[in-house]
Amino acid sequence: MRLPQSFLRLLLAGCALLVPVLALAQGYPSRPVRMVIPFPPAGPADTVGRLVANKLGTALHQPVVVDNKGGGNGNIGAEFVARSPADGYTLMLLPSALAANTSLYAKLPYSLTGDLTGVAGLATFPLVLVVHPSVGVKTTQQLIALAKSKPGVLNFASAGSGGGAHLAAEAFKVATATNIIHVPYKGTGPAVTDTLGGQVSIMFASVPSVIQHIRAGKLIALGVTSAKRSAAMPEVPTIAEAGVPGYELVSWFGLVAPAGTPAAMLNRLSEEAALILKSADYLERVKAEGGEALPLNAVEFNDFIKQETVRWAKVVKDAGAKLE
């Protein structure tokens, strides 16, 4: 059968367009890649981001340079990446905080699911509910009973309004019908310090920030926010186990790129990330931070982001939280 000349011309034109894209992907990367972390140095985001950047740089045979762009609860870094060229040379460590931001803020200068595209899931981290010994409780149920008997008296610290620790506490309040007062701090360090000092009664904290204080008896761990117990402290029950059925709220991190990044590049990055997540040193480091790997490819991570955006929207709505 002889094909029409018009069809052949279209086919040849399509191939001509495809050749440069394939050639570009095959030579990728030919220069250093930037990985934006939308928070200041230190903390789980920096730990995961720098670990992945180092291992990804080795795999790609080009440096992956970490660029901390903090501010705006992650929005400044996210906007920068969303406006960057979709050429595979700008990536971002995506924290779950940005999924919450879509509902926390009335207006954002970027679209999480429109301007960014998933590369790979990386890790999830639970928070741990801790109380100062002076509170006088040793279980989640005892805390709930105390809070209900003294509405508006107990308070909880967070690293700042709108962050994971704040929303985890607000979700806990909704789930338990308790009235506990929020005391926001500028960072995890000051919040932990005042919880240790007893100025604040309660905190939902990252495991690394309080695990030594728990072991020293300076803070009492009541439960972790994940669906299963943390390998870093297996003796601590989940909050759901401890009497709040269905409670689950974890922080997570993944890798994204500007929307429109060529699929061949995304696939290369996704494949390399999958190998990193299987490496013993990565798994050990994440476990030491109280977390576990989140092995999702580009397609799966895009779906995950959409699902999490919906889930965090419910948390924000139930909590009545808003940021300007």
Side-chain angles (χ1 to χ4, degrees), residues 71-138:
N73 205 27
N75 290 326
I76 291 176
E79 182 183 7
F80 174 85
V81 175
R83 303 289 174 255
S84 295
D87 58 6
Y89 288 92
T90 302
L91 306 173
M92 184 178 76
L93 183 83
L94 178 69
S96 51
L98 294 190
N101 284 356
T102 59
S103 299
L104 278 169
Y105 292 84
K107 186 177 181 181
L108 290 173
Y110 66 93
S111 167
L112 178 60
T113 55
D115 294 328
L116 299 169
T117 188
V119 173
L122 296 177
T124 64
F125 293 90
L127 298 172
V128 55
L129 169 58
V130 296
V131 297
H132 189 269
S134 64
V135 177
V137 302
K138 292 187 177 181

Side-chain angles (χ1 to χ4, degrees), residues 248-303:
E248 180 191 356
L249 204 69
V250 297
S251 297
W252 50 261
F253 299 102
L255 203 59
V256 295
T261 300
M265 293 178 179
L266 293 176
N267 291 338
R268 170 81 190 281
L269 292 166
S270 182
E271 289 167 2
E272 297 296 353
L275 294 175
I276 291 172
L277 265 63
K278 292 177 182 176
S279 64
D281 55 341
Y282 178 83
L283 293 171
E284 287 171 7
R285 185 65 181 275
V286 169
K287 180 180 176 181
E289 294 286 326
E292 59 183 37
L294 179 64
L296 300 174
N297 63 30
V299 173
E300 292 166 340
F301 190 47
N302 272 325
D303 290 340

Side-chain angles (χ1 to χ4, degrees), residues 211-231:
I211 191 167
Q212 295 302 326
H213 304 307
I214 292 168
R215 289 171 177 166
K218 296 178 180 179
L219 293 173
I220 298 171
L222 303 184
V224 292
T225 61
S226 47
K228 60 181 182 180
R229 298 189 182 200
S230 169

